[in-house]
Amino acid sequence: MKRRDFIKQTAAAMAALSVTGLTTSFTKDGVPYRKLGKTGMDVSLLGVGGYHIGDRFITESDSIKLIREALDNGINFLDNAWHYNNGRSEELMGKALLDGYRNKAILMTKHHGRDPKTAQEHLETSLRRLQTDYLDLWQFHEIESMDSVDKIYSSGVLDFVVKKRDEGVIRHIGFTGHSRPEIHRAMIEKGFEWETVQMPINVLDHHYSSFSQEIIPLLVERNIGIIGMKSVASGAIVKEGIATIEECLRFAMTLPTSSVVSGMNNLEHFRHNLEIVRNFKPMTEDEIATLLDKTLDHAQGGKHEWYKDKV
């Protein structure tokens, strides 16, 4: 297919998907909110990434200030994981959620439990660090192989997480992955009623081993909440001058994502992203086509998406 025809066709398909996907439920402090799939929860279109608020480039006081400023300005979706920065990310977020801030947040964290014992250890540790007695969303993290899929479905860990959901310790259950869309498909089609899925969504992903093209339609069909990550491909898209932060966020938010998690380790970065989401307007088909044409060559071979398996 000629390049022009390919770009036109994929842009039209993406524009159609954005129309049939999620729309804004309401706005709060100028921030659009969307339903998180079958969970029924309303989440901010921009989410605070958990890794960066705990990395070595940010002080404890600045991390707490960033999280609280986000919650005070209409951002309610908080991402984290049991292993981020050896637990520092969860510990700092836990401190930020004191003084009534827990009530403002939709709090998600992730774990590597592939069996009930490990899952219980990770859950107890996360709850202690986050200084809470429940999680709004708990996700199996980094499902990158069929072996992980098989263990999750055969070890009894799904029975464990459902029990914890029934007890109110966790409210909703999802999973994440970075490397292979077919692994996401296997997790979904094996039959568990997943409530959310988190995956890379960006302008390079659209062209190579694409989660947005292969998995998003499946999630929309099943009303599974879509959480976007890697919107700038761990910074590569902006560092290489392929596209701007605003173009990257607008692209990811134009798709039927409930929330786009962004890594932000300073207040300047957060405030820039806050301005983008407050001014968000879905991309038109022409805008999508222009961006896809500009990024097509950069996406070949997945050279800027290091987290994906190369095929």
Side-chain angles (χ1 to χ4, degrees):
M1 188 183 300
K2 292 182 179 179
R3 179 188 182 107
R4 181 180 61 186
D5 293 336
F6 168 76
I7 294 297
K8 184 177 180 180
Q9 179 178 315
T10 55
M14 182 182 155
L17 188 61
S18 71
V19 170
T20 59
L22 291 179
T23 56
T24 298
S25 300
F26 58 88
T27 60
K28 180 180 178 181
D29 295 322
V31 175
Y33 274 56
R34 291 176 175 173
K35 290 289 182 187
L36 185 59
K38 65 185 72 172
T39 73
M41 295 190 297
D42 294 301
V43 293
S44 52
L45 185 51
L46 177 68
V48 176
Y51 182 85
H52 290 75
I53 57 93
D55 72 20
R56 66 184 186 277
F57 298 109
I58 189 168
T59 65
E60 176 174 319
S61 60
D62 282 348
S63 177
I64 292 171
K65 185 175 181 180
L66 189 158
I67 295 165
R68 290 187 171 184
E69 186 168 317
L71 292 170
D72 286 335
N73 283 276
I75 306 298
N76 77 337
F77 190 68
L78 303 183
D79 162 274
N80 221 309
W82 168 85
H83 74 297
Y84 282 166
N85 297 295
N86 296 315
R88 183 173 187 252
S89 287
E90 288 189 331
E91 289 170 354
L92 292 179
M93 190 167 281
K95 292 178 180 180
L97 291 175
L98 296 176
D99 305 321
Y101 277 89
R102 175 67 182 91
N103 296 329
K104 296 185 175 186
I106 299 295
L107 178 61
M108 177 269 285
T109 196
K110 307 183 280 287
H111 68 104
H112 285 90
R114 306 295 189 253
D115 60 82
K117 181 176 183 294
T118 305
Q120 181 170 350
E121 290 172 355
H122 288 195
L123 178 60
E124 291 173 354
T125 301
S126 291
L127 291 170
R128 185 183 72 252
R129 290 171 179 162
L130 291 165
Q131 303 192 54
T132 186
D133 58 3
Y134 75 97
L135 300 170
D136 295 291
L137 174 61
W138 200 41
Q139 299 195 113
F140 288 85
H141 194 31
E142 295 181 322
I143 312 304
E144 314 290 9
S145 68
M146 284 305 302
D147 181 62
S148 288
V149 176
D150 292 340
K151 285 179 179 177
I152 287 168
Y153 272 91
S154 66
S155 69
V157 70
L158 289 175
D159 293 332
F160 169 79
V161 296
V162 169
K163 180 174 182 288
K164 291 301 173 183
R165 183 174 62 188
D166 292 343
E167 293 172 353
V169 179
I170 57 177
R171 294 179 64 195
H172 303 286
I173 302 165
F175 74 89
T176 85
H178 304 75
S179 62
R180 294 165 58 192
E182 62 266 32
I183 299 299
H184 275 52
R185 182 176 293 275
M187 282 286 282
I188 296 163
E189 293 184 342
K190 269 186 170 288
F192 185 76
E193 288 294 322
W194 300 103
E195 297 173 274
T196 63
V197 169
Q198 185 167 343
M199 58 192 177
I201 298 176
N202 63 63
V203 294
L204 300 182
D205 166 81
H206 184 82
H207 299 296
Y208 176 83
S209 191
S210 178
F211 288 90
S212 59
Q213 293 206 65
E214 297 181 36
I215 303 302
I216 283 182
L218 184 63
L219 301 179
V220 170
E221 178 185 334
R222 300 184 183 215
N223 194 27
I224 297 173
I226 302 169
I227 303 168
M229 62 178 171
K230 305 292 185 189
S231 58
V232 293
S234 295
I237 297 174
V238 176
K239 290 176 185 175
E240 297 295 326
I242 299 168
T244 66
I245 291 176
E246 182 173 3
E247 288 173 321
C248 291
L249 287 177
R250 280 191 70 206
F251 179 88
M253 291 172 177
T254 295
L255 285 166
T257 45
S258 296
S259 188
V260 176
V261 170
S262 180
M264 300 170 282
N265 62 10
N266 62 68
L267 286 165
E268 181 182 6
H269 190 178
F270 163 70
R271 290 166 183 165
H272 182 220
N273 285 0
L274 178 64
E275 181 181 3
I276 291 170
V277 75
R278 282 178 168 169
N279 293 304
F280 169 72
K281 289 182 176 58
M283 284 186 163
T284 65
E285 186 174 330
D286 286 343
E287 287 178 310
I288 294 168
T290 297
L291 186 59
L292 292 180
D293 185 52
K294 183 170 72 169
T295 58
L296 177 59
D297 292 337
H298 297 281
Q300 301 310 302
K303 60 184 176 181
H304 295 301
E305 293 188 277
W306 57 267
Y307 42 83
K308 286 185 177 178
D309 287 349
K310 301 301 180 272
V311 295

